[in-house]
């Protein structure tokens, strides 16, 4: 069976293959540091061997819980923010029919996301939509205290209990949170919800292969066993310090992006040519942004959906400041076949494409874009994915996770903390006069 692979040929005109290969000893040392748990943030390495440590019993428990939600809900709300929803959304959207929620006949509950914003209209419209729906909630928060998620859950819990009764609510609300601490844990224990634990040593952005991602994915009807199998395959290949550098795609990825960064390429754009991958990019942006953006360092992770964004951001990428490089997620084979029809009148002049698959057109757009961007001064890597299924998405998850751990260590930061995100929270709590923030409230009021 094929695996995902990384092609860096189109980086060679910017940093040489020798420069990248010279990172091999450092990369090996970074993998050993991860493996031995001797580096920065070593209390958050639970993701490293997570795929191989997931038991069949755990997967069965998740599948059985998913089944309860599938049988009792038309809609399931996944309430969470950042790492507590992006991984699930990335996988579910990558695997779903693009028009899933418009389908009349459904074989799984519609998954809706909440708790990732504080938009009053969003929450109002959601509660309105849910009024006549049999809905359930998966409440996900590692800390159990994140304001966005807690606020949405407060509304959803009440509505679910009012609409479906306390007993049914107990059945269709599931909590995924810390084993002991946080408001989500307290509520789950008090109300008797089924709950799953987010291990202490797995940070939010590395948690997609814990119940945080696996339960929503199973509820949506996707095969979590295959997803974990894919991740295990990459774990065996990429977390082994003895895998030769050139055969370890995550090692090569981490080395290449750092070599480019040293060469002045400060922005990495994750590119896809399949709109279903939009949320894979959103997940990736948090993974790399929170892990590396600190100590006034770090590649800025950006993303585009092509060819859509070639008609908006394409100009900037082709001719703007030359501080960017691209990593393209290139899916080899689509899951469906659609040919361009021939048309006798040929008014649109497209008969030269008649009989070709739409994907052939897309692939030429991809190749043409790569060549144009490289000509324009944008180094280009390609992550080649044989097809979009659970197995390869599992490979993608682990590839990017360990690539991030290695890359953060090359950069010299702690890739597993996120101290910077507290600043806005502190100000918001002070502005809202949260109990315990009296001093901060006074200080911030004086600044306004
Ligand atoms: O799961 P929690 O604790 O609600 O946190 C959600 C997200 O918020 C952050 O902690 C940032 O505040 C992320 O790192 C995390 O993924």
């Amino acid at each position: 069976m094929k695996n995902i692979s990384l092609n860096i040929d189109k980086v060679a005109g910017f940093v040489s293959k020798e420069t990248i290969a010279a990172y091999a000893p450092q990369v090996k040392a970074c993998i050993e540091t991860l493996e031995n748990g001797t580096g920065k943030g070593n209390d958050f390495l639970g993701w490293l061997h997570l795929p191989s440590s997931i038991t069949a019993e755990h997967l069965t428990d998740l599948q059985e819980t998913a089944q309860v939600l599938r049988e009792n809900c038309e809609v399931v709300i996944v309430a969470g923010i950042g790492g507590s929803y992006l991984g699930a959304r990335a996988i579910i959207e990558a695997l779903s029919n693009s028009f899933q929620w418009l389908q009349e006949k459904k074989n799984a509950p519609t998954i809706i996301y909440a708790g990732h914003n504080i938009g009053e209209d969003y929450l109002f419209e959601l509660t309105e939509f849910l009024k006549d729906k049999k809905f359930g909630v998966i409440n996900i928060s590692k800390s159990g205290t994140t304001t966005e998620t807690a606020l949405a859950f407060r509304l959803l819990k009440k509505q679910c209990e009012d609409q479906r009764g306390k007993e049914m609510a107990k059945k269709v609300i599931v909590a995924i949170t810390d084993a002991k601490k946080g408001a989500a844990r307290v509520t789950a224990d008090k109300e008797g919800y089924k709950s799953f634990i987010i291990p202490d040593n797995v940070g939010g952005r590395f948690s997609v292969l814990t119940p945080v991602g696996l339960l929503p994915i199973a509820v949506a009807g996707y095969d979590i066993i295959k997803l974990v199998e894919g991740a295990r395959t990459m774990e065996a290949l990429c977390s082994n310090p003895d895998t030769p550098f050139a055969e370890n795609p995550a090692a090569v990825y981490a080395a290449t992006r750092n070599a480019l960064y040293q060469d002045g390429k400060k922005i990495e754009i994750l590119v896809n040519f399949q709109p279903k991958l939009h949320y894979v990019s959103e997940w990736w942006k948090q993974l790399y942004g929170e892990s590396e953006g600190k100590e006034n360092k770090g590649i800025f992770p950006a993303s585009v959906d092509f060819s859509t964004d070639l008609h908006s951001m394409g100009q900037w990428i082709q001719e703007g400041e030359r501080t960017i490089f691209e990593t393209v997620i290139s899916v080899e084979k689509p899951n469906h076949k659609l040919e361009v029809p021939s048309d006798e009148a040929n008014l649109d002049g497209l008969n030269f494409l008649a009989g070709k698959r739409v994907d052939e057109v897309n692939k030429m757009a991809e190749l043409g874009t790569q060549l144009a961007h490289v000509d324009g001064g944008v180094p280009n890597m390609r992550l080649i994915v044989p097809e979009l299924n659970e197995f390869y998405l599992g490979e993608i998850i682990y590839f990017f996770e360990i690539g991030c751990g290695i890359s953060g260590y090359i950069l010299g930061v702690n890739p597993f903390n996120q101290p910077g995100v507290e600043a806005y929270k502190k100000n918001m709590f002070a502005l809202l006069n949260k109990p315990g923030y009296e001093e901060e409230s006074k200080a911030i009021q004086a600044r306004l």
Side-chain angles (χ1 to χ4, degrees):
M1 192 181 207
K2 279 200 218 168
N3 290 320
I4 60 168
S5 60
L6 189 76
N7 183 316
I8 60 163
D9 289 351
K10 293 285 186 278
V11 170
F14 303 88
V15 287
S16 69
K17 288 214 160 147
E18 293 70 35
T19 304
I20 293 166
Y23 275 85
Q26 194 184 356
V27 165
K28 185 173 163 59
C30 292
I31 299 174
E32 280 165 351
T33 304
L34 287 169
E35 200 57 32
N36 300 331
T38 49
K40 291 181 184 170
N42 57 1
D43 42 349
F44 282 99
L45 293 175
W47 57 272
L48 187 63
H49 293 301
L50 182 64
S52 59
S53 63
I54 297 174
T55 63
E57 292 72 42
H58 181 55
L59 291 171
T60 304
D61 188 10
L62 286 161
Q63 283 167 327
E64 285 172 0
T65 307
Q67 195 53 31
V68 173
L69 291 171
R70 287 166 62 83
E71 278 165 12
N72 291 287
C73 305
E74 302 163 77
V75 174
V76 170
I77 317 300
V78 173
I81 194 166
S84 289
Y85 98 106
L86 283 169
R89 189 164 193 175
I91 304 303
I92 292 169
E93 298 213 352
L95 293 171
S96 295
N97 183 302
S98 308
F99 307 98
Q100 185 101 338
W101 58 345
L102 299 174
Q103 311 278 342
E104 303 236 312
K105 275 200 192 143
K106 296 195 169 87
N107 56 5
T110 300
I111 308 290
I112 294 184
Y113 303 88
H116 58 296
N117 63 54
I118 326 176
E120 185 162 343
D121 287 347
Y122 186 92
L123 288 167
F124 176 85
E125 286 157 14
L126 175 62
T127 50
E128 283 291 298
F129 171 75
L130 292 174
K131 267 189 179 151
D132 58 348
K133 304 286 182 308
K134 290 185 194 149
F135 76 92
V137 186
I138 307 177
N139 184 34
I140 312 176
S141 178
K142 185 169 187 217
S143 62
T145 54
T146 300
T147 311
E148 288 87 341
T149 307
L151 185 56
F153 183 65
R154 175 181 277 227
L155 290 163
L156 293 166
K157 175 180 185 287
K158 181 173 184 321
Q159 187 171 357
C160 189
E161 287 171 351
D162 290 350
Q163 253 170 250
R164 308 199 67 185
K166 265 265 188 201
E167 270 316 296
M168 183 50 95
K170 206 168 125 179
K171 206 167 174 181
V172 295
I173 297 179
V174 179
I176 304 176
T177 186
D178 186 84
K180 294 195 192 81
K181 55 180 193 312
R185 168 53 57 201
V186 174
T187 309
D189 289 348
K190 181 174 168 289
E191 300 288 359
Y193 299 148
K194 168 80 180 166
S195 68
F196 290 94
I197 292 168
I198 309 175
D200 273 349
N201 61 357
V202 180
R205 59 188 175 275
F206 288 86
S207 70
V208 50
L209 297 172
T210 73
V212 169
L214 296 180
L215 183 64
I217 294 165
V219 172
Y222 300 112
D223 189 340
I224 53 176
I225 297 176
K226 290 239 163 57
L227 186 80
V228 170
E229 254 171 47
R232 272 184 195 150
T233 307
M234 277 295 119
E235 178 192 334
L237 184 70
C238 304
S239 71
N240 181 354
D242 295 326
T243 302
F245 176 73
E247 289 167 32
N248 181 340
V252 176
Y253 176 59
T256 307
R257 61 199 300 284
N258 274 281
L260 289 166
Y261 183 55
Q262 290 310 321
D263 195 49
K265 306 296 184 198
K266 307 287 186 196
I267 299 165
E268 176 175 6
I269 305 178
L270 193 71
V271 178
N272 69 68
F273 281 80
Q274 301 289 343
K276 287 178 188 205
L277 291 175
H278 178 84
Y279 270 90
V280 168
S281 299
E282 296 303 314
W283 167 80
W284 171 87
K285 283 195 282 195
Q286 185 200 1
L287 182 63
Y288 281 77
E290 267 191 0
S291 298
E292 294 195 318
K294 49 197 70 156
E295 299 176 29
N296 299 324
K297 296 195 272 193
I299 295 170
F300 183 83
S303 66
V304 288
D305 301 327
F306 284 168
S307 66
T308 312
D309 293 335
L310 283 170
H311 298 263
S312 57
M313 294 303 290
Q315 171 61 37
W316 200 103
I317 294 171
Q318 190 68 44
E319 295 182 349
E321 195 181 39
R322 302 297 72 186
T323 46
I324 56 174
F325 66 96
E326 290 178 315
T327 301
V328 180
I329 302 183
S330 179
V331 180
E332 280 185 313
K333 196 168 132 296
N335 289 326
H336 303 285
K337 195 171 171 186
L338 185 65
E339 283 179 3
V340 180
S342 154
D343 183 289
E344 212 178 309
N346 194 25
L347 296 177
D348 54 12
L350 286 182
N351 269 355
F352 72 102
L353 297 176
K356 286 192 199 299
R357 288 184 62 175
V358 171
D359 191 57
E360 206 177 322
V361 183
N362 202 26
K363 288 289 186 298
M364 291 311 110
E366 184 178 328
L367 183 57
T369 304
Q370 184 196 48
L371 297 172
H373 288 182
V374 170
D375 288 347
V378 182
N380 183 290
M381 281 190 264
R382 281 173 72 226
L383 181 66
I384 299 157
V385 179
E387 55 193 296
L388 269 190
N389 61 25
E390 287 91 335
F391 181 85
Y392 290 120
L393 285 162
E395 288 203 345
I396 292 174
I397 288 168
Y398 193 85
F399 162 82
F400 277 131
E401 285 184 350
I402 190 156
C404 184
I406 301 169
S407 189
Y409 277 170
I410 297 176
L411 189 66
V413 299
N414 175 355
F416 308 116
N417 66 3
Q418 57 286 332
V421 295
E422 296 310 313
Y424 100 90
K425 294 183 193 171
K426 215 177 96 198
N427 285 346
M428 177 176 75
F429 294 147
L431 290 163
L432 288 167
N433 298 313
K434 184 174 175 171
Y437 284 77
E438 291 74 14
E439 285 308 308
E440 287 87 348
S441 294
K442 259 192 241 153
I444 207 159
Q445 287 302 336
R447 284 174 59 193
L448 301 179

